[in-house]
Amino acid sequence: MNKISIISLVVTSIFFTVAGCNQGPDVKKEPWIDQPVAQWPDFALTNKIRFTDTSYTDLANAFLVNTGKDTIGVSCKHWFMVFASHQGLSSIDLGKNFIDWKFYPKNKPNHAILIKRLINRDVNEPIGQFNTLKDRDWIIFTLQKKRSDIYPLKIRFTPVKKNEIVYAVGWGMKKPKSNYPAVARLQCFKQMGNYFYVEAVVSDGHPEGTSGSPVIDQNGYLVGIVSGAEGKLGVIGAVKYLKELFDKYGIAYRTDS
């Protein structure tokens, strides 16, 4: 059996105090956001995906989302380009050789959550290339069973503004140096609707392999997903498209949570 393993990068614990908010004066910060990263709940996850002939271990990143009504799993759609090459898939469908898909913190592989169903499966949606996926680079899942030790992120539905500071939190490709995911401080360069461009301000890890990482605002709320890069700019899938998926697939959510 071939085993494709993309090894994660972890980072040392960092401290930073966040201030300011583009979400409105009544929004409460998540209680953990001003703490050292070592004290944050586990929400940055990686993937293990099994097909009959191949196991993809530590492939990109994933996270859970609190819709205000339920908890769902999220990762990045552009990894279907890998499945197209190795599994012969041509659409957003895991195919007949799929076995299972697990999410877990890279440093805690025994704390795994098994996905139940790919919600936005679509046999009529071609996989395409990154430039056709960047504005819809979300795949969402129902879960077999919840875990109290994996934290689902709350959603901010208002768009990220130009020059706003956000944080990408996830595991990279290189060998771990600590038990904590990398945190990159990013600044919004240009808002494009379903995605936005960012510039790195400070990063304590390497960006390679962080696709699928959650992007949070200064209050700890989900605002995007790491999608890729174009030149010196990062591409972040915006929550706007996630909301479109909720509406399309009848997923109940609250915008006031």
Side-chain angles (χ1 to χ4, degrees):
M1 175 183 292
N2 295 324
K3 187 171 183 178
I4 299 176
S5 178
I6 298 184
I7 302 176
S8 304
L9 170 68
V10 284
V11 299
T12 56
S13 172
I14 66 170
F15 291 77
F16 60 88
T17 300
V18 294
C21 176
N22 289 296
Q23 202 173 353
D26 297 328
V27 174
K28 294 181 179 179
K29 287 184 179 182
E30 287 283 73
W32 45 266
I33 190 64
D34 287 334
Q35 303 301 315
V37 173
Q39 296 178 27
W40 285 9
D42 284 326
F43 61 80
L45 311 175
T46 187
N47 299 283
K48 182 174 182 178
I49 308 150
R50 292 196 304 157
F51 292 86
T52 54
D53 62 346
T54 307
S55 199
Y56 302 87
T57 301
D58 299 338
L59 178 66
N61 287 263
F63 53 96
L64 304 186
V65 167
N66 176 358
T67 69
K69 299 288 187 177
D70 198 2
T71 299
I72 64 169
V74 176
S75 193
C76 51
K77 188 185 290 182
H78 71 256
W79 279 109
F80 270 81
M81 292 190 292
V82 175
F83 304 152
S85 298
H86 293 271
Q87 300 298 323
L89 301 182
S90 59
S91 64
I92 307 305
D93 177 11
L94 289 165
K96 64 181 181 180
N97 294 324
F98 172 71
I99 298 176
D100 59 32
W101 189 319
K102 295 178 181 179
F103 298 151
Y104 56 94
K106 178 65 176 70
N107 57 329
K108 300 175 183 176
N110 293 328
H111 293 201
I113 294 176
L114 193 65
I115 70 107
K116 184 176 182 180
R117 178 174 62 90
L118 173 59
I119 296 173
N120 55 325
R121 169 184 175 269
D122 188 347
V123 296
N124 295 314
E125 180 181 349
I127 292 172
Q129 297 298 318
F130 171 68
N131 62 350
T132 66
L133 286 174
K134 65 184 179 183
D135 68 341
R136 50 188 173 91
D137 201 11
W138 299 75
I139 43 175
I140 56 177
F141 303 89
T142 57
L143 306 173
Q144 294 268 12
K145 188 178 180 180
K146 314 297 190 299
R147 289 190 67 109
S148 61
D149 51 4
I150 304 296
Y151 189 80
L153 292 167
K154 298 181 180 70
I155 306 169
R156 167 181 149 187
F157 287 96
T158 56
V160 172
K161 298 179 180 179
K162 180 177 174 60
N163 296 325
E164 181 179 349
I165 298 298
V166 295
Y167 300 90
V169 185
W171 309 96
M173 293 177 65
K174 295 188 178 181
K175 186 176 180 179
K177 295 181 180 179
S178 84
N179 285 326
Y180 310 110
V183 178
R185 188 171 186 260
L186 309 170
Q187 186 172 34
C188 179
F189 177 77
K190 188 174 184 180
Q191 176 60 249
M192 303 296 290
N194 279 353
Y195 64 97
F196 56 96
Y197 291 107
V198 293
E199 295 178 299
V201 179
V202 177
S203 176
D204 60 2
H206 297 280
E208 294 85 1
T210 58
S211 291
S213 299
V215 178
I216 58 175
D217 70 4
Q218 297 187 63
N219 289 321
Y221 288 78
L222 178 71
V223 293
I225 184 172
V226 173
S227 183
E230 291 185 10
K232 295 182 179 180
L233 297 177
V235 179
I236 307 299
V239 161
K240 179 178 180 292
Y241 184 72
L242 179 62
K243 182 177 180 295
E244 290 178 14
L245 290 177
F246 288 174
D247 293 336
K248 179 177 180 179
Y249 292 96
I251 297 170
Y253 61 93
R254 290 178 54 185
T255 60
D256 59 345
S257 57

